[in-house]
């Protein structure tokens, strides 16, 4: 069986399980379940702490796993990302009291508090900056107030927590992160079980990003209509019983669907509708 690590809690857990369910895999019903066997799909899921997943995968005990890019890089594990999943996006940045520093180049001799010691130490070393890094779990914003550090490095979403703590963002982002599928570095890239798993998740990603659009248009307007809805290869065109009209079916990006419907209507197309795509293979 293919052995897969899945986050057992936190912001990665729910979306990861939802995506796996959409991909046709069984998922646990109780949060206390640590292992779930899906015999029909020949997969065994292990629900682990997100921070530990890269370590388990790099050991070779598990074939692949779902975790955050930030957690993968921070672990220093011998593992690599092979598919971006598009959820749990975040930005990792430095922050400090106003006037402390303009950027990392000013961090020399300072102490930086973070829950991601591996990422920060490497970032500083890559830029030749001589600063100390102290590891803290949890709310690192208080480290500056309590005099433990002059700078913090943390995940930033809206920046509200930083502003409430009287801090400001310093410099450019250290990295951007999202949920990713990982495997051990050097593992067989052509493993058919892994490839099938990736195809299923890619199908979910496409299904979430596209809708199927159907509409009727006059033959003389077809070329202009098709230019608006080219599809992935090309749209499906079917003649209608009413002479001079055709029915068109095409996949379009969901975020553009409303605008395309407006443009088609202005062109003279009618009976325009969209339907959700639940699964696909490209």
């Amino acid at each position: 069986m293919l052995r897969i690590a899945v986050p057992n809690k936190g912001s990665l857990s729910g979306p990861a399980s939802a995506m796996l369910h959409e991909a046709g895999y069984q998922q646990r019903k109780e949060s206390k379940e640590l292992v779930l066997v899906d015999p029909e799909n020949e997969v065994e899921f292990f629900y682990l702490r997100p921070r530990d997943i890269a370590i388990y995968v790099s050991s070779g005990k598990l074939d692949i796993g779902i975790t955050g890019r930030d957690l993968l890089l921070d672990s220093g594990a011998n593992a690599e990302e092979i598919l971006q999943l598009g959820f749990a996006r975040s930005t990792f940045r430095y922050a400090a009291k106003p006037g402390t520093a303009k950027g990392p180049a000013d961090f020399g001799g300072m102490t930086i508090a973070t829950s991601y010691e591996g990422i920060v130490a490497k970032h500083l070393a890559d830029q030749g900056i001589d600063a100390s890094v102290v590891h803290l779990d949890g709310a690192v914003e208080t480290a500056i107030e309590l005099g433990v550090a002059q700078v913090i490095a943390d995940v930033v979403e809206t920046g509200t927590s930083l502003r409430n703590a009287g801090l400001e963002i310093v410099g450019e982002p250290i990295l951007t992160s999202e949920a990713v599928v990982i495997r051990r570095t050097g593992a067989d890239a052509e493993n058919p079980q892994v490839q099938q798993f990736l195809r299923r998740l890619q199908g979910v990603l496409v299904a979430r990003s596209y809708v199927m659009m159907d509409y009727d248009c006059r033959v003389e307007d077809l070329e202009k209509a098709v230019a608006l809805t080219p599809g992935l290869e090309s749209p499906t065109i079917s003649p209608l019983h009413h002479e001079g009209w055709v029915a068109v079916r095409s996949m379009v990006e969901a975020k553009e669907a409303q605008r395309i419907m407006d443009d088609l209507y202005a062109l003279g197309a009618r009976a325009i509708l969209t339907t959700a795509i639940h699964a696909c293979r490209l």
Side-chain angles (χ1 to χ4, degrees):
M1 284 192 170
L2 189 67
R3 295 157 66 88
I4 302 174
V6 183
N8 67 344
K9 60 182 179 179
S11 61
L12 291 164
S13 178
S17 290
M19 178 170 279
L20 290 169
H21 179 74
E22 288 181 51
Y25 295 104
Q26 294 182 29
Q27 286 298 285
R28 62 180 183 174
K29 297 179 180 179
E30 298 291 337
S31 61
K32 294 181 179 180
E33 292 183 71
L34 301 179
V35 180
L36 183 144
V37 177
D38 183 350
E40 291 187 3
N41 291 299
E42 298 184 334
V43 173
E44 191 171 10
F45 293 104
F46 294 81
Y47 296 89
L48 305 168
R49 289 179 68 246
R51 276 191 171 274
D52 297 337
I53 287 176
I55 302 298
Y56 281 104
V57 171
S58 69
S59 73
K61 301 300 182 183
L62 300 179
D63 299 299
I64 52 178
I66 296 175
T67 188
R69 179 183 296 124
D70 52 351
L71 298 176
L72 166 64
L73 295 176
D74 191 59
S75 72
N78 188 32
E80 60 185 1
E81 68 175 77
I82 54 176
L83 180 65
Q84 299 173 12
L85 298 180
F87 63 85
R89 288 191 172 100
S90 62
T91 304
F92 195 61
R93 311 194 69 153
Y94 293 112
K97 291 282 188 182
T100 300
K102 294 181 179 180
D106 299 326
F107 292 168
M110 295 184 183
T111 299
I112 302 167
T114 183
S115 300
Y116 297 82
E117 185 177 0
I119 291 175
V120 174
K122 184 178 185 304
H123 188 258
L124 294 173
D126 288 345
Q127 298 192 51
I129 298 168
D130 184 17
S132 300
V133 180
V134 59
H135 178 87
L136 294 175
D137 287 320
V140 296
E141 293 94 340
T142 57
I144 295 177
E145 188 66 31
L146 295 176
V148 174
Q150 292 81 44
V151 182
I152 65 168
D154 202 8
V155 172
V156 177
E157 294 182 2
T158 64
T160 301
S161 296
L162 294 179
R163 289 191 293 272
N164 290 341
L167 306 179
E168 65 178 9
I169 291 172
V170 176
E172 297 298 316
I174 302 169
L175 67 85
T176 56
S177 182
E178 65 179 288
V180 295
V181 179
I182 66 171
R183 70 177 169 213
R184 181 172 55 84
T185 303
D188 180 13
E190 303 303 321
N191 182 319
Q193 288 180 297
V194 173
Q195 290 302 312
Q196 182 185 64
F197 177 80
L198 295 177
R199 281 194 299 273
R200 286 199 182 191
L201 294 191
Q202 287 167 336
V204 171
L205 291 172
V206 173
R208 289 178 172 182
S209 300
Y210 285 80
V211 294
M212 189 65 72
M213 184 171 289
D214 292 89
Y215 59 91
D216 300 338
C217 76
R218 292 184 295 268
V219 172
E220 59 265 30
D221 297 325
L222 181 58
E223 289 304 315
K224 292 181 179 178
V226 167
L228 293 170
T229 60
L232 298 185
E233 279 83 26
S234 65
T236 300
I237 313 294
S238 304
L240 293 178
H241 179 70
H242 189 73
E243 188 175 352
W245 283 76
V246 292
V248 182
R249 163 167 280 201
S250 181
M251 287 175 64
V252 302
E253 288 189 73
K255 64 182 181 181
E256 298 291 336
Q258 293 296 331
R259 179 189 60 78
I260 292 173
M261 292 175 78
D262 290 339
D263 292 344
L264 286 171
Y265 191 88
L267 187 64
R270 294 296 181 265
I272 309 168
L273 59 90
T274 62
T275 52
I277 301 171
H278 296 292
C280 70
R281 296 289 185 277
L282 301 181

